[in-house]
Amino acid sequence: MLMPLRRRPWAYPKCLRRLQSQRAFETATSSVPNANQFDSTPTSTATQKQVDDDTLRRVFDSRPFWREFSQRRSGLPKRSGLVQNQYLTSPDGFREFANASLQKCQSIVAKVLAASTLEEYRAMARNLDRLSDLLCRVIDLSDFIRTIHPDIRVQEASTQAYALMFEYMNVLNTTTGLYEQLTKAASSPDVTSHWTEEEKIVAQILIKDFSNSAIHMPPNERQRFVNLSNDISQLGSVFANSAEPAKSHVVLNANSLRGLDPIVIQQIKRWNRTASVPTMGMVPRLALRAVHDENARREIYLATKTSSKKQIHRLEQLLMKRAELAKLTGYPSFGHMALSDKMARTPEAVSNFLTSLVDSNRGPVQEELSKLQSMKGSSPLQPWDHAYYVHRRVLEYSQARRSRLLGVVPEFFSLGTVMQGLSRLFDRLYGVRLVPQETAPGETWNPDVRRLDVIDESERHIAVIYCDLFTRPDKSPNPAHFTLRCSREISAEEIAECASPDHPSHPNDGMATAIDPETRTLRQLPTIALVCDFAEPPASGMGHPTLLSVHSVRTLFHEMGHAVHSILGQTPLQSISGTRCATDFAELPSVLMESFATAPKVLSLYARHWQTDEPLPESMDLDLAAHGSIYGAVENEAQILMALVDQAYHSLPTDVSSINSTEIYHRVFSQYSSLPDPADVQPPTSWQGFFGHLYGYGATYYSYIFDRAIANKIWQDVFKSGKASVDREAGERYKNEVLRWGGGRSGWGCVAGVLGSNNPSNANGRLAEGGDEAMREVGRWGLGREGVSD
């Protein structure tokens, strides 16, 4: 899933995506035959859709079919650049790509700095958006390629291109003339009256980005800002990567570990019948689930929740530096600074949301804990009991629900059928589908990467997705979505520049473009990479294809939720296209997509046995989300508590002289946790030292559960909790009110729009403007019973 995003001027971190010219939405980069026709026989749209649908399943499930399909353009004499980029046919192309982009950037900067006429100021928002696009097209693509490409020469070249543009971006951050010209333009009614709403939004985003870089401060204060930012970066990186417990091991009598796998006990056993249980890694987790002796579990639990003093000191230094930075920039706390451009806006609003969410989640939590309490008996349930009794309940549930049947569920989820299901769902909801397209030599970084073109109902090509879904050595196991190129309009001026005999080029570097049949403007199409780590199907074509667990299915739906946001959020300007929205709104489409994954009506579209093609038996449907009724609410509470701790740390006043992070942690948990750590233990537990996300999220950890609450509401009220999960009217409503806007509309406007004025939660338009009460209202919606996935 996506990591939290922090805006920088010009380059937006990722979270961290063709058909023939006779189609109505003309593709400007390719004239190749339809990827899914093995002959030239004309076909109807319905027949073609069926061919495309069948091909989609087979390119992921059958290695022999994929080999034949992928080699149909292998004989072409000319190599394509990576992801069709005309420069990237060799490692040296990255330097040429970066230098060519840099020259264009410098030309725009000179134009903006020299602007003096009204017309030049009116063009400024679009010029700066193009500048941002030029930087992003190098930084985003190079950053992706350097981590994914197997060739060390390509890795080095893409790293150099990345570094060159990143360094130039930092120069722009200190170019006060750009900030002064933009603020002058934005403050002139004669300029802004001619700007579109999108241009106004982009201008404000860039002004905010400049401010976050302290460009408006006097030189001495700006230098202090830079020094503090560097200190925070170094401290935060060490904190996030150096979590360590106060004790590395807990020594126990080996007999007290009964219930734990004997092989594990043997591995940690000492010669004198004691065992040394490590306090980090998988062994303590297994022990807390399996060890029958409560006292042993208690010792292991307390040790795993107590950080080293050195790690706690790092955290408290980090929090002090952040408070100092907020004071320098004129904010009452770091939380106010971090939230000023988010939907929440203030720490107080986030607290309203979280405390309201605690209340809405309390009933389900007590219900779950009461079941565990009945299993334990008369003595009170303790925090070190939770994993143990949950594990017992899961085992009992599996036995009661015929674990043999549960074990065959993946046989109904081959990767190809799941991709088929996504395409069919998108077609029914939004009128777009996924069509496999053979790639040109050199277009992908690995032969196993599948290219999918996104086609709408008028057979218009609207996006490209490169699917790198199979495991291989040295590849990150983390699933992720990357926007390699954002959607935006390409101006006539840019096209004219590319036609210059001195610098002939393609207006989008050769990557996918199309002509909008209504406006006749050229657009660069969103280009997306989807990366997962699934097992490959057998090379021989014998045996089963790649089969996915329910968790993996939900993961794939989640990442495709990000992709569909990029696909449908095609705005005129790249700074607000697709997922480039407020960071506490960016996860909404992906979280909502998880609900579709196992909805019965959606399962009926795709869940079929890989061998017999029989549909998933209805008796298995409820098994898919079984864990939600066992521990989902307690898992939700854990996430809420983490967000509350994050807010408490980052809402401290800027004049604070010292911070006791352990005292704050226990205060929050004692007030809101249903199973708080004991307060009389010495030394007190200090789990906050293991909370590495305190650095990366910094006052925004609430974002994911905030989007889950909104997604839960939309799922219930718009998609009728799955009853309307493949309903076109509901899909169009969600697309038109949320997805198509990207970041060109406030998140609150999107939520109010999709729920509608007749929704009781939106009475009198209370959601559209946001604010404290709107945040509290979202907390009342709750998170459902599914729980947060690992």
Side-chain angles (χ1 to χ4, degrees):
M1 51 184 74
L2 281 185
M3 295 299 289
L5 305 179
R6 292 179 294 166
R7 281 195 178 277
R8 305 179 294 210
W10 317 117
Y12 193 102
K14 59 187 180 295
C15 71
L16 266 142
R17 309 277 196 242
R18 233 179 281 229
L19 284 178
Q20 296 168 279
S21 59
Q22 68 263 27
R23 285 181 166 138
F25 200 47
E26 302 164 21
T27 300
T29 58
S30 176
S31 59
V32 299
N34 187 307
N36 304 296
Q37 290 178 267
F38 286 88
D39 56 51
S40 59
T41 306
T43 59
S44 68
T45 300
T47 302
Q48 185 61 57
K49 285 180 68 172
Q50 182 59 52
V51 172
D52 292 342
D53 186 68
D54 179 64
T55 303
L56 181 61
R57 180 173 178 174
R58 296 174 72 186
V59 297
F60 286 100
D61 280 356
S62 170
R63 296 287 285 185
F65 182 88
W66 167 244
R67 279 197 301 270
E68 179 184 353
F69 181 88
S70 62
Q71 291 173 4
R72 284 185 285 155
R73 297 183 69 193
S74 60
L76 292 179
K78 185 177 179 180
R79 285 179 60 83
S80 166
L82 281 165
V83 298
Q84 307 176 81
N85 189 301
Q86 64 182 6
Y87 294 100
L88 307 185
T89 57
S90 70
D92 287 340
F94 278 93
R95 300 177 186 91
E96 185 183 355
F97 176 38
N99 286 321
S101 300
L102 182 59
Q103 289 179 17
K104 294 176 184 177
C105 288
Q106 291 169 336
S107 176
I108 294 173
V109 170
K111 182 188 300 185
V112 170
L113 292 176
S116 60
T117 68
L118 201 56
E119 289 305 313
E120 288 170 336
Y121 279 109
R122 287 171 179 171
M124 194 165 292
R126 285 186 179 268
N127 282 334
L128 291 178
D129 181 74
R130 186 189 173 197
L131 177 61
S132 177
D133 180 69
L134 286 165
L135 286 158
C136 288
R137 63 174 57 192
V138 178
I139 289 174
D140 291 348
L141 181 54
S142 299
D143 193 29
F144 173 74
I145 293 297
R146 68 179 182 160
T147 62
I148 200 77
H149 204 287
D151 189 329
I152 186 66
R153 298 172 303 163
V154 173
Q155 293 172 19
E156 292 174 349
S158 57
T159 297
Q160 290 171 9
Y162 174 91
L164 175 67
M165 295 305 281
F166 198 85
E167 181 181 359
Y168 181 66
M169 182 191 71
N170 286 332
V171 171
L172 294 178
N173 292 348
T174 61
T175 305
T176 56
L178 290 175
Y179 173 71
E180 291 165 354
Q181 287 284 66
L182 179 57
T183 53
K184 183 176 180 180
S187 63
S188 170
D190 288 336
V191 173
T192 57
S193 62
H194 285 73
W195 278 354
T196 64
E197 286 302 313
E198 291 90 349
E199 288 173 312
K200 293 175 184 177
I201 292 170
V202 167
Q204 290 306 313
I205 288 172
L206 295 177
I207 289 171
K208 173 66 176 175
D209 286 342
F210 271 126
S211 298
N212 287 345
S213 297
I215 200 168
H216 59 296
M217 292 182 177
N220 61 326
E221 291 187 6
R222 192 186 313 149
Q223 186 58 52
R224 187 171 163 221
F225 180 96
V226 171
N227 293 340
L228 277 171
S229 297
N230 288 337
D231 289 346
I232 289 169
S233 178
Q234 293 171 9
L235 268 171
S237 180
V238 174
F239 171 74
N241 295 300
S242 303
E244 57 183 3
K247 295 193 295 186
S248 61
H249 291 78
V250 175
V251 178
L252 299 169
N253 188 304
N255 290 332
S256 69
L257 297 178
R258 284 179 299 171
L260 187 60
D261 188 329
I263 296 176
V264 175
I265 295 176
Q266 196 61 40
Q267 291 172 343
I268 61 176
K269 194 174 181 180
R270 295 179 170 183
W271 64 271
N272 60 351
R273 298 185 180 180
T274 61
S276 181
V277 181
T279 51
M280 292 191 75
M282 184 55 67
V283 172
R285 294 183 189 178
L286 294 174
L288 289 171
R289 293 176 190 170
V291 169
H292 301 316
D293 188 311
E294 181 178 349
N295 289 328
R297 293 199 308 271
R298 181 181 187 275
E299 284 200 51
I300 295 169
Y301 174 88
L302 294 176
T304 61
K305 293 289 184 178
T306 306
S307 301
S308 69
K309 291 181 179 179
K310 185 164 52 177
Q311 178 72 343
I312 298 303
H313 180 65
R314 292 186 191 111
L315 172 60
E316 291 169 357
Q317 279 188 304
L318 172 65
L319 297 175
M320 290 292 292
K321 292 285 186 181
R322 280 180 162 168
E324 189 178 350
L325 187 71
K327 183 176 183 179
L328 177 64
T329 52
Y331 288 96
S333 74
F334 182 83
H336 286 86
M337 178 179 172
L339 296 169
S340 61
D341 60 348
K342 310 298 187 292
M343 286 179 69
R345 300 176 189 163
T346 67
E348 294 80 10
V350 176
S351 294
N352 284 343
F353 161 67
L354 293 172
T355 53
S356 181
L357 196 58
V358 168
D359 291 339
S360 64
N361 194 55
R362 182 169 287 120
V365 168
Q366 294 306 319
E367 181 184 336
E368 289 177 12
L369 294 182
S370 67
K371 292 177 181 177
L372 302 184
Q373 181 66 70
S374 66
M375 295 176 71
K376 183 177 181 181
S378 57
S379 60
L381 195 71
Q382 299 293 341
W384 46 84
D385 294 326
H386 183 259
Y388 176 72
Y389 287 105
V390 163
H391 185 61
R392 285 182 57 181
R393 283 207 71 210
V394 169
L395 291 176
E396 290 176 1
Y397 179 87
S398 298
Q399 293 168 359
R401 300 294 291 180
R402 303 184 302 279
S403 59
R404 184 187 65 81
L405 290 178
L406 291 177
V408 302
V409 166
E411 296 186 8
F412 293 86
F413 295 115
S414 74
L415 178 57
T417 61
V418 177
M419 295 301 294
Q420 227 178 14
L422 284 160
S423 182
R424 292 171 178 177
L425 177 63
F426 292 161
D427 187 31
R428 285 159 175 77
L429 289 179
Y430 314 124
V432 302
R433 57 194 172 92
L434 308 177
V435 178
Q437 174 75 287
E438 72 269 30
T439 56
E443 185 176 341
T444 64
W445 52 93
N446 185 277
D448 265 341
V449 176
R450 275 76 162 156
R451 172 179 158 184
L452 303 178
D453 285 352
V454 184
I455 309 300
D456 73 5
E457 289 177 309
S458 299
E459 295 299 290
R460 303 182 301 195
H461 180 212
I462 63 172
V464 177
I465 306 176
Y466 290 98
C467 297
D468 186 355
L469 304 184
F470 297 112
T471 189
R472 60 178 176 271
D474 301 321
K475 179 183 175 184
S476 170
N478 299 319
H481 155 278
F482 301 87
T483 304
L484 307 182
R485 182 66 56 90
C486 286
S487 167
R488 73 179 185 102
E489 292 178 353
I490 299 174
S491 70
E493 182 183 7
E494 292 175 63
I495 297 172
E497 288 175 7
C498 295
S500 166
D502 296 329
H503 302 285
S505 61
H506 188 281
N508 196 34
D509 305 324
M511 293 173 67
T513 58
I515 298 174
D516 188 318
E518 296 177 1
T519 64
R520 305 308 299 172
T521 56
L522 186 67
R523 296 187 61 85
Q524 65 186 39
L525 300 185
T527 300
I528 299 154
L530 204 65
V531 178
C532 291
D533 194 46
F534 304 139
E536 291 182 282
S540 65
M542 307 297 290
H544 61 72
T546 296
L547 302 179
L548 303 182
S549 66
V550 175
H551 175 77
S552 293
V553 172
R554 291 173 67 90
T555 295
L556 190 51
F557 268 68
H558 178 101
E559 300 305 335
M560 269 295 188
H562 288 305
V564 81
H565 200 184
S566 293
I567 292 163
L568 298 178
Q570 298 205 19
T571 55
L573 303 176
Q574 74 91 30
S575 299
I576 53 172
S577 70
T579 58
R580 298 194 169 182
C581 55
T583 56
D584 52 0
F585 195 65
E587 289 290 331
L588 171 61
S590 54
V591 173
L592 181 61
M593 273 297 292
E594 292 184 39
S595 295
F596 285 100
T598 54
K601 286 192 175 184
V602 180
L603 288 171
S604 68
L605 294 179
Y606 76 98
R608 309 188 76 84
H609 195 278
W610 70 272
Q611 201 167 25
T612 66
D613 209 42
E614 290 294 316
L616 181 76
E618 291 184 8
S619 60
M620 291 188 182
D621 289 353
L622 295 178
D623 295 342
L624 298 177
H627 79 273
S629 63
I630 297 176
Y631 59 86
V634 173
E635 288 291 300
N636 288 338
E637 182 179 86
Q639 295 297 315
I640 298 167
L641 289 166
M642 291 159 75
L644 282 165
V645 169
D646 175 45
Q647 285 303 307
Y649 286 156
H650 291 104
S651 299
L652 295 170
T654 56
D655 58 355
V656 63
S657 58
S658 64
I659 295 174
N660 186 333
S661 64
T662 300
E663 188 276 327
I664 294 172
Y665 161 68
H666 278 278
R667 173 159 41 87
V668 170
F669 268 63
S670 64
Q671 184 174 357
Y672 296 109
S673 176
S674 301
L675 278 179
D677 290 352
D680 57 350
V681 174
Q682 291 300 325
T685 54
S686 49
W687 171 84
Q688 74 273 19
F690 301 103
F691 191 8
H693 288 312
L694 284 170
Y695 170 56
Y697 283 79
T700 62
Y701 192 79
Y702 73 93
S703 296
Y704 185 77
I705 53 177
F706 178 65
D707 285 345
R708 277 195 59 207
I710 297 173
N712 184 48
K713 183 67 171 178
I714 294 173
W715 181 246
Q716 290 176 346
D717 291 12
V718 178
F719 293 99
K720 309 303 180 186
S721 298
K723 295 177 183 177
S725 55
V726 291
D727 179 70
R728 183 57 177 271
E729 183 179 353
E732 287 291 319
R733 181 174 163 189
Y734 175 61
K735 176 177 72 174
N736 290 327
E737 296 291 349
V738 177
L739 295 176
R740 78 176 181 89
W741 293 92
R745 185 188 199 185
S746 77
W748 289 114
C750 291
V751 174
V754 73
L755 293 180
S757 58
N758 294 326
N759 193 295
S761 294
N762 194 29
N764 301 316
R766 74 174 71 167
L767 294 176
E769 296 303 318
D772 289 5
E773 183 53 38
M775 291 290 291
R776 187 178 286 111
E777 177 64 23
V778 175
R780 296 187 189 108
W781 296 344
L783 300 174
R785 292 298 297 268
E786 191 56 40
V788 177
S789 301
D790 292 333

